[in-house]
Amino acid sequence: MKIYHLSAECYPVAKVGGLADVVGALPKYQNLAGLDAAVVMPFYDRKFTRENEFETVFQSATLLGTRRLYFEILKEKTDKLGFSLYLVKIPGLVDRENIYSYPDETEQFIAFQIAFLDWISYSQQSPDIIHCHDHHSGLVPFLLKYSKLYTRIAKTHTIFTIHNGQYHGAFGWDKLSYLPEIDLTKTGLLDWSGGINPLASAVRCADRYTTVSPSYLDELSHNSNGLEYLFFLERGKGVGIINGIDTEVWNPATDPMITEKFTATKVTAGKQKNKEALCTRFNLDPTKPLISFIGRLVVEKGADLLAEALETSLEDYAGKVNFLILGAGDPDTEMELQELKEKFPADCNVYIGYNEELAHLFYAGSDFLLMPSRVEPCGLNQLYSLRYGTMPMVRSTGGLKDTVIDFGDTGGYGIRYLKTSVEDICYSIGRAIELYADPKKLQTLRKRMMALDFSWDVSAKQYMELYNSITSTTTTHDI
């Protein structure tokens, strides 16, 4: 079975968040399971593309409205990622350094999708599945079915995975001309709230859509930035499949990015060595419990409450806890955290930005990982932390609820709380400090965490079953 994964991100080529980690791992595990999975993404002028060899496998031109665009498809020569990697390069439009935030981002991703479909069609390929990820590839299911340009491949099956339903990629009808010739009687499949909404269109037009956790599938009907009614209507097409993690990249026994490698049998000593390295770097006391936050400093992640919650805890538990922050995002939140660092220099430190190597050391050296998310479709950070024996402290939402059981419950291994609020965060910090004072119990829980299996093997099998279900029966869906 031939599958193309279509995505704006893929680790280690270009990464902003969890989307990249998923697309960089799932195809590898699918190939190990006997499928033929490849990744297609935009070309970015970044370290990976500069340091690896590519060959041009296809060249052509396409139209974006009246603008004629030359494009080429580049293939990484060695398949070093465990799958074939293809990059769509369009000089002057899809060949830049950054992934997002350009003023012509809509044009970038429309052109990327059209060029991909042109390549598949003109090169006479017939993939079994085109697996689209998030709104950046959300127009593909519609164009396959309702553009005359792609009649030859119109029956290709499509899966659409929603990694974050808050972002739709919506744009105005004034840009309809950017699309190739379409059946104008079907434009209702593009529309939501008076504009073209790629995410909504993909949910309607794909054979099936998936979310990255079962709980998030339910939550979209209540919180999806204006698409709640759509998800209520389309609930029968949805499947929740929890993300896995790449256990080769995230493995404390072999991780080259951490100070001391360790296994579950040596978790206490191994984590302490990494904690000492981390605390030395950030001028903290390694004898105290270390609670870290890793991620984007945005409202979605509850980061707007961090400064207040941490300050309250540092005052309530004076001298009993350390905090470390790794992330970037909202400038006001960044400033508040920097001020907190200056106010409590011996107990708190902040790294503004993202550093992959440092993130690994955070997971290995921290005692607890704080995740007060308002929205968390799946969450990978809690899975990484469990792999390294670091207890996740999570709000009960989305994938966090699906993957973390409170240590106070039977078989539990984490800390869960109900609300993204200063009060709940502080209460959980108090529980973490109390647990840290019982090293025997903490060691038992760490070993339990590290024995959990959140590898891609299980999830890849679920995707395979989904692929088989749609290729064995043709699904059509119009409204």
Side-chain angles (χ1 to χ4, degrees), residues 50-221:
R50 291 192 291 265
E51 294 182 355
N52 290 276
E53 290 190 54
F54 294 83
E55 58 181 333
T56 300
V57 296
F58 187 80
Q59 299 179 71
S60 188
T62 193
L63 290 175
L64 185 72
T66 59
R67 182 179 173 186
R68 189 170 181 82
L69 300 174
Y70 164 82
F71 73 90
E72 57 184 331
I73 307 295
L74 307 178
K75 182 181 184 297
E76 193 273 314
K77 285 187 174 182
T78 65
D79 291 348
K80 65 188 295 181
L81 301 181
F83 51 82
S84 295
L85 172 69
Y86 297 93
L87 306 180
V88 177
K89 185 175 184 179
I90 305 176
L93 187 63
V94 184
D95 63 349
R96 302 165 182 171
E97 180 180 0
N98 294 325
I99 302 174
Y100 307 120
S101 301
Y102 290 103
D104 57 356
E105 184 174 293
T106 295
E107 289 83 348
Q108 286 180 291
F109 288 116
I110 292 176
F112 162 62
Q113 293 171 83
I114 293 172
F116 164 74
L117 289 173
D118 284 359
W119 168 48
I120 297 300
S121 180
Y122 299 160
S123 59
Q124 300 297 304
Q125 297 186 60
S126 299
D128 297 286
I129 302 281
I130 295 177
H131 191 148
C132 304
H133 295 265
D134 272 350
H135 71 81
H136 322 97
S137 55
L139 295 172
V140 166
F142 174 86
L143 292 175
L144 275 171
K145 290 183 177 181
Y146 303 116
S147 174
K148 294 179 180 178
L149 197 60
Y150 308 118
T151 300
R152 191 190 69 81
I153 53 174
K155 293 184 179 180
T156 304
H157 294 286
T158 53
I159 296 288
F160 180 65
T161 294
I162 301 166
H163 298 262
N164 192 330
Q166 297 296 307
Y167 301 99
H168 304 168
F171 54 93
W173 283 102
D174 58 309
K175 295 184 178 180
L176 177 64
S177 62
Y178 290 156
L179 304 185
E181 183 183 357
I182 61 171
D183 181 348
L184 293 176
T185 68
K186 301 297 183 181
T187 54
L189 292 168
L190 294 171
D191 180 80
W192 194 265
S193 295
I196 296 174
N197 189 308
L199 190 141
S201 178
V203 169
R204 289 159 157 167
C205 296
D207 291 307
R208 300 292 292 273
Y209 73 88
T210 73
T211 61
V212 290
S213 71
S215 289
Y216 192 56
L217 180 64
D218 296 328
E219 290 176 10
L220 284 172
S221 298

Side-chain angles (χ1 to χ4, degrees), residues 23 254 263 285 367 414:
V23 178
T254 59
T263 62
D285 183 350
D367 298 302

Side-chain angles (χ1 to χ4, degrees), residues 12 37 56 63 78 91 183-184 206 229 257 296 307 344 364 397-398 407 417:
T56 300
L63 290 175
T78 65
D183 181 348
L184 293 176
Y229 186 57
M257 301 186 195
R296 291 180 294 124
F344 299 93
T397 186
F407 77 86
Y417 43 99

Side-chain angles (χ1 to χ4, degrees), residues 453-474:
D453 182 8
F454 285 108
S455 72
W456 269 111
D457 294 319
V458 175
S459 302
K461 182 179 179 182
Q462 290 178 283
Y463 276 111
M464 188 182 301
E465 291 170 352
L466 180 61
Y467 295 161
N468 287 333
S469 73
I470 67 168
T471 54
S472 60
T473 57
T474 301

Side-chain angles (χ1 to χ4, degrees), residues 293-452:
F293 173 95
I294 303 171
R296 291 180 294 124
L297 300 176
V298 294
V299 171
E300 246 174 66
K301 303 291 185 182
D304 56 309
L305 302 180
L306 280 177
E308 183 180 352
L310 301 193
E311 181 171 10
T312 300
S313 296
L314 286 168
E315 291 172 348
D316 290 348
Y317 304 103
K320 295 182 179 180
V321 63
N322 286 334
F323 294 103
L324 263 179
I325 309 294
L326 170 61
D330 176 66
D332 290 337
T333 300
E334 291 180 1
M335 183 176 66
E336 289 173 357
L337 291 170
Q338 292 282 21
E339 290 173 353
L340 185 69
K341 167 186 171 181
E342 292 170 8
K343 186 173 181 179
F344 299 93
D347 306 298
C348 179
N349 212 325
V350 179
Y351 182 102
I352 299 298
Y354 185 75
N355 181 305
E356 186 75 17
E357 183 173 341
L358 188 56
H360 282 245
L361 187 59
F362 265 57
Y363 289 117
S366 301
D367 298 302
F368 302 90
L369 182 78
L370 183 60
M371 296 183 71
S373 304
R374 288 185 173 86
V375 179
E376 198 65 69
C378 174
L380 292 173
N381 289 11
Q382 81 278 15
L383 304 183
Y384 299 147
S385 72
L386 291 168
R387 181 81 166 145
Y388 287 74
T390 296
M391 180 172 285
M393 305 167 59
V394 306
R395 188 218 159 195
S396 292
T397 186
L400 302 180
K401 183 167 62 175
D402 289 337
T403 56
V404 178
I405 302 172
D406 191 273
F407 77 86
D409 298 332
T410 303
Y413 44 82
I415 294 175
R416 271 176 46 178
Y417 43 99
L418 290 177
K419 298 178 182 178
T420 299
S421 66
V422 171
E423 292 76 17
D424 276 27
I425 295 170
C426 290
Y427 177 70
S428 297
I429 289 170
R431 291 184 69 199
I433 293 171
E434 183 179 349
L435 176 60
Y436 187 81
D438 187 345
K440 187 175 180 180
K441 184 174 183 179
L442 182 59
Q443 182 182 35
T444 298
L445 292 171
R446 283 173 169 171
K447 289 181 177 180
R448 184 178 297 171
M449 293 178 227
M450 295 183 71
L452 298 169

